[in-house]
Amino acid sequence: AEVVGGGDKEVVREYFNGTGFQRWKKIYGETDDVNKVQLDIRVGHAKTVENVMKMLTEEGPLKGVTVCDAGCGTGLLSIPLAKEGALVSASDISAAMVAEAQNKAREELQSNNTDLVMPKFEVSDLESLNGKYDTVVCLDVLIHYPQNKADAMISHLASLAENRLILSFAPKTFYYSLLKRIGELFPGPSKATRAYLHAEADVEAALQKVGWKIQKRGLITTQFYFAKLIEAVPV
Ligand code: SAM
């Protein structure tokens, strides 16, 4: 059995400042030097971002709304949020990711429209974040942590949110568990970190414990990308 210790976060940080940064920058980018699997993941992830934007905007305009994008990666959500006028606080455990997100935001937001507020970028793991935000979003981060760590992360994120919390995670369904087991039998070249799946019931229980309930659910799947998307609100 694998020992899941406090080292998880250090391994993840190192990965996303090194080989993981190079790999995910490509997947989250626009260049065509990606393989079929990476391209599929790019498309799946873009659908997740699109769904989140829909979930958020259907409840009203985002202008002036404070949003915390925890684990912001290359800024693929922070930038469209800023374009809608949201006041975005974007943070990530990886300094390389934050620098990339900041560059992208400058390119996309500062060029033509001076009305837009640049996201506030910060290198921070989500556990160290504080303050209060109308909305907290954390996309495709929980996959790097086992459920026993994810529980604390979820409750901390909920404590930062006043009105809603949006999370995505890789669902622990039979089909996906099987796919993952097959993947483990045939490990690829880059196995620096492992992927953890989460049962929706476990995520729901973690939210319930801190007085939150799920109000919207979505599922985004492509061939190689699976994400359960949930929006939670205080009870
Ligand atoms: N949320 C972004 C998106 O959807 O475009 C990026 C997703 S990427 C798969 C996962 C990101 O989570 C990486 O940028 C990684 O550095 C970050 N991350 C991992 N563990 C974290 C933690 N404990 N606190 C903050 N960020 C973390």
Side-chain angles (χ1 to χ4, degrees):
E2 186 170 344
V3 179
V4 183
D8 269 8
K9 206 156 78 176
E10 279 319 308
V11 172
V12 170
R13 189 201 315 271
E14 214 171 288
Y15 172 71
F16 279 106
N17 273 316
T19 54
F21 172 66
Q22 296 306 335
R23 177 162 191 266
W24 286 97
K25 186 174 94 161
K26 233 163 54 169
I27 292 175
Y28 290 154
E30 286 128 38
T31 54
D32 51 19
D33 58 340
V34 285
N35 63 37
K36 244 189 81 185
V37 175
Q38 293 172 327
L39 183 62
D40 179 87
I41 295 172
R42 180 190 285 174
V43 170
H45 176 266
K47 283 193 196 182
T48 298
V49 171
E50 203 179 295
N51 269 264
V52 172
M53 290 305 294
K54 210 179 292 166
M55 269 185 176
L56 288 174
T57 51
E58 73 190 10
E59 277 162 38
L62 289 174
K63 193 163 171 56
V65 174
T66 52
V67 182
C68 166
D69 182 7
C72 65
T74 60
L76 285 179
L77 176 72
S78 286
I79 294 168
L81 283 172
K83 284 184 178 163
E84 289 294 318
L87 305 175
V88 184
S89 296
S91 56
D92 198 285
I93 196 171
S94 154
M97 283 289 185
V98 173
E100 176 71 12
Q102 202 154 16
N103 285 338
K104 290 243 163 179
R106 281 202 194 104
E107 272 172 34
E108 288 195 38
L109 301 172
Q110 279 185 345
S111 48
N112 31 34
N113 194 334
T114 47
D115 279 358
L116 294 177
V117 180
M118 274 284 283
K120 234 180 73 197
F121 290 102
E122 187 190 356
V123 180
S124 170
D125 58 278
L126 66 87
E127 297 87 340
S128 311
L129 294 174
N130 45 43
K132 285 279 181 193
Y133 308 89
D134 177 88
T135 300
V136 175
V137 188
C138 184
L139 296 188
D140 294 4
V141 176
L142 295 179
I143 189 164
H144 304 297
Y145 298 91
Q147 188 63 42
N148 65 342
K149 290 269 163 65
D151 279 357
M153 295 166 92
I154 291 168
S155 80
H156 183 62
L157 291 171
S159 78
L160 305 172
E162 267 156 355
N163 288 315
R164 61 194 162 185
L165 171 61
I166 291 184
L167 295 172
S168 74
F169 56 92
K172 198 177 208 164
T173 58
F174 173 74
Y175 171 68
Y176 196 30
S177 297
L178 192 70
L179 252 189
K180 197 181 154 268
R181 216 170 314 151
I182 293 167
E184 272 165 9
L185 290 175
F186 304 98
S190 156
K191 277 273 159 183
T193 58
R194 55 165 295 185
Y196 296 94
L197 311 177
H198 300 282
E200 190 174 344
D202 291 341
V203 173
E204 193 156 19
L207 286 163
Q208 253 160 19
K209 240 199 259 170
V210 291
W212 285 61
K213 63 162 197 251
I214 298 178
Q215 98 170 347
K216 285 184 204 162
R217 298 165 206 261
L219 183 68
I220 296 97
T221 67
T222 58
Q223 222 179 332
F224 299 100
Y225 176 92
F226 299 77
K228 185 89 206 186
L229 186 63
I230 56 140
E231 181 184 299
V233 293
V235 177

